Amino acid sequence: METLLMAGFQCYELNRVLSQLQFDTQYIDKDNKNKIPANCILCLIDLRQGDIINEVNYLVRELDPKIHIIVLINKAQLDDAAISTFIVQFAWDFCTSPIDAERLAKCLGHGIGLAKLKQQHHAPQAKQSSNIHDKPVTESEVMKQLFRQVERVAPTNIPVLIRGESGTGKELVATKLHQLSARKDQPFVTVNCGAMAAGLIQSDLFGHQKGAFTGATSSRKGKIALADGGTLFLDEIGDLPAELQVNLLRFLQEGVFDSVGGMPQTADVRILAATHVDLESAIEQGSFRLDLYYRLNGITIDTPQLKTRRDDIIGLANQFIRVYSNEYGLMTKPLSQSACHALLNYPWPGNVRELINRVRRAVVLCDTQQISAQNLELAKIDKKRHSSQSLKTLKDDAEKQALQQAVMIADGQVELAASNLDISRATFYRLMDKHDLPLV
């Protein structure tokens, strides 16, 4: 009997169907997420009733990445921006009401199959999968400018505020700032300000002493103390409660903080913060302190939406194909022309995180020689041909895509890539230069 985590709305009809499908269901919420059995690899989140999207947003960010998420919704909820964004960012798949036992069984079965496959290959490929962003794709001018800014700012100790939509790579920017700084050999500690349990935020951030409160059976260092000498990354800083903002401001001003039940302490950390929230509006509404904003906002770095860096999309997709093909022990397959067209013409509301999810599914489900738009679940986009494009533009796009795929398949070997395209090395180099393409 498979163990299935459940979150959200609790429904008798759904429980009955899952029991018939021989699932052992265990409900979790933000208060008991740490009690998840070790063998759990799938979580079904029921969003059909109640305004719980914020709670499940916090919950899934804390779940182990090996746990795959499936969402159950009403069809009308597909028009809800918050729910559709949650699905594209976090879900492996989704089902709609009324509950179709056969469809639900297939959906859960596929999710379990993928999770087990990933689990089998996780240990030997851990190093490769963890390096998914080690070499960021920066063909677009907007990303080249961003990383030039990162290189200039990184060696300093100036606080940096990283702003951008969810899924645009704010944590990647923070990691690069740390790696390029003089603190690179010291700790890099991340705090998700929106995902910490409300009653434990003070203890998580500042630490506590033994006996400071019920359940404090031993002393514990907080995130600030753990980051001493290194970098503290405050993710989703816009969600930090007002009472914690005061204590954080004191630390930023004086370098001093109080652990719960303890004496004042000091720590030498560089502060990086990130948010998708409009902090100026939050300040006007009184939910974020102006003085804290000025302390955090030494320099602002804006991460661009994926739709504004289309020159990077194919390169990113190919990078993720290689990573997940290696991770799951599968053959690396190139993108078809239909897939490239769909990738370039999709608006990407979930940004890079959505691209990763779509590519990961496609790598596992593709049963042909090439990854198609249908594998990426973008078949509708591929059907929307743009008649306004000239024949020259279409030919150039096809030529560029063919070169990119040839280089990927040949793993950067020029002679093999040229041979696969049935052209000379000289022609290959000329075309690579024409399209301003680097060798992998």
Side-chain angles (χ1 to χ4, degrees):
M1 181 175 287
E2 293 284 355
T3 300
L4 176 67
L5 295 179
M6 295 285 294
F9 175 55
Q10 298 191 31
C11 168
Y12 171 77
E13 179 191 5
L14 179 59
N15 287 338
R16 179 175 55 80
V17 171
L18 292 173
S19 177
Q20 292 172 352
L21 296 175
Q22 296 188 324
F23 281 102
D24 174 22
T25 57
Q26 296 199 25
Y27 275 86
I28 57 167
D29 56 32
K30 61 183 178 59
D31 295 323
N32 64 5
K33 61 180 183 295
N34 295 323
K35 300 178 182 178
I36 298 172
N39 64 334
C40 288
I41 55 176
L42 194 68
C43 180
L44 177 62
I45 299 179
D46 192 343
L47 297 177
R48 291 176 298 162
Q49 287 195 19
D51 184 13
I52 59 172
I53 190 65
N54 290 332
E55 179 176 330
V56 295
N57 255 304
Y58 295 153
L59 175 64
V60 298
R61 293 174 192 272
E62 292 296 292
L63 290 179
D64 190 309
K66 75 172 184 285
I67 297 176
H68 285 241
I69 294 168
I70 292 175
V71 176
L72 182 60
I73 57 172
N74 297 311
K75 287 184 179 179
Q77 289 178 294
L78 287 171
D79 296 326
D80 186 309
I83 289 178
S84 61
T85 298
F86 176 84
I87 291 172
V88 299
Q89 288 186 353
F90 300 110
W92 156 252
D93 203 347
F94 70 93
C95 294
T96 56
S97 285
I99 297 172
D100 182 331
E102 184 177 353
R103 156 69 176 151
L104 183 61
K106 288 181 179 179
C107 186
L108 294 173
H110 288 160
I112 288 174
L114 174 61
K116 286 184 175 178
L117 182 63
K118 184 174 181 180
Q119 196 173 48
Q120 291 169 6
H121 293 274
H122 181 74
Q125 299 295 339
K127 184 176 180 180
Q128 289 180 332
S129 62
S130 67
N131 293 337
I132 191 168
H133 290 305
D134 270 5
K135 296 180 179 178
V137 175
T138 55
E139 290 302 308
S140 63
E141 187 56 35
V142 65
M143 287 302 290
K144 289 178 181 177
Q145 291 178 1
L146 184 147
F147 278 97
R148 282 197 292 267
Q149 189 177 12
V150 167
E151 289 171 358
R152 288 195 298 268
V153 173
T156 72
N157 276 322
I158 300 174
V160 179
L161 180 61
I162 307 165
R163 309 182 70 155
E165 291 185 1
S166 293
T168 52
K170 295 188 290 296
E171 186 166 359
L172 169 63
V173 172
T175 301
K176 287 298 176 184
L177 285 167
H178 175 72
Q179 291 173 345
L180 295 174
S181 74
R183 298 172 180 261
K184 62 182 180 181
D185 296 325
Q186 300 302 316
F188 176 76
V189 177
T190 297
V191 179
N192 190 328
C193 299
M196 291 187 290
L200 299 176
I201 296 179
Q202 182 89 11
S203 171
D204 284 346
L205 195 57
F206 300 107
H208 65 254
Q209 299 300 309
K210 180 179 179 180
F213 51 85
T214 302
T217 56
S218 61
S219 297
R220 176 186 171 188
K221 285 186 175 182
K223 301 289 189 179
I224 291 177
L226 292 173
D228 191 18
T231 303
L232 181 68
F233 175 46
L234 301 170
D235 198 9
E236 300 303 346
I237 189 67
D239 294 330
L240 191 68
E243 62 271 18
L244 265 295
Q245 293 179 29
V246 176
N247 295 340
L248 178 60
L249 178 63
R250 179 195 174 204
F251 172 68
L252 295 179
Q253 289 175 332
E254 304 172 12
V256 176
F257 65 95
D258 295 327
S259 62
V260 179
M263 301 295 291
Q265 302 177 45
T266 61
D268 170 28
V269 299
R270 184 189 188 177
I271 298 291
L272 308 177
T275 183
H276 71 279
V277 172
D278 183 345
L279 292 182
E280 287 78 9
S281 296
I283 291 168
E284 290 181 5
Q285 296 167 9
S287 59
F288 199 82
R289 294 180 63 98
L290 179 62
D291 44 7
L292 178 58
Y293 171 77
Y294 283 128
R295 282 286 175 178
L296 294 170
N297 191 22
I299 291 178
T300 296
I301 293 180
D302 293 299
T303 54
Q305 299 170 295
L306 184 55
K307 66 182 181 183
T308 67
R309 43 180 299 207
R310 294 198 179 274
D311 288 347
D312 295 338
I313 291 175
I314 301 301
L316 283 167
N318 284 330
Q319 181 187 51
F320 301 147
I321 288 171
R322 290 193 296 272
V323 168
Y324 289 112
S325 295
N326 288 333
E327 183 173 338
Y328 302 146
L330 301 172
M331 182 178 72
T332 300
K333 297 179 180 179
L335 293 163
S336 68
Q337 186 174 354
S338 71
C340 291
H341 174 87
L343 287 167
L344 292 172
N345 289 280
Y346 181 65
W348 297 110
N351 295 294
V352 177
R353 188 179 291 126
E354 181 183 359
L355 175 61
I356 290 173
N357 283 348
R358 288 186 181 275
V359 168
R360 184 171 54 192
R361 288 196 296 263
V363 165
V364 174
L365 297 178
C366 179
D367 56 3
T368 56
Q369 293 300 310
Q370 294 182 318
I371 293 175
S372 67
Q374 186 173 3
N375 295 140
L376 293 163
E377 299 182 9
L378 294 175
K380 292 181 180 179
I381 303 297
D382 181 49
K383 293 178 181 178
K384 297 179 181 178
R385 298 296 177 179
H386 293 264
S387 58
S388 60
Q389 287 185 304
S390 67
L391 178 60
K392 182 179 184 305
T393 300
L394 292 172
K395 287 175 64 178
D396 284 345
D397 287 346
E399 191 174 71
K400 183 176 181 179
Q401 291 166 16
L403 288 165
Q404 289 174 318
Q405 292 180 28
V407 171
M408 183 190 73
I409 293 171
D411 197 23
Q413 298 179 50
V414 173
E415 288 189 9
L416 180 58
S419 175
N420 289 341
L421 293 171
D422 198 20
I423 59 177
S424 67
R425 287 185 60 173
T427 300
F428 178 82
Y429 280 122
R430 178 177 61 78
L431 292 176
M432 291 291 284
D433 184 62
K434 170 187 173 181
H435 294 289
D436 194 25
L437 292 173
L439 290 173
V440 176

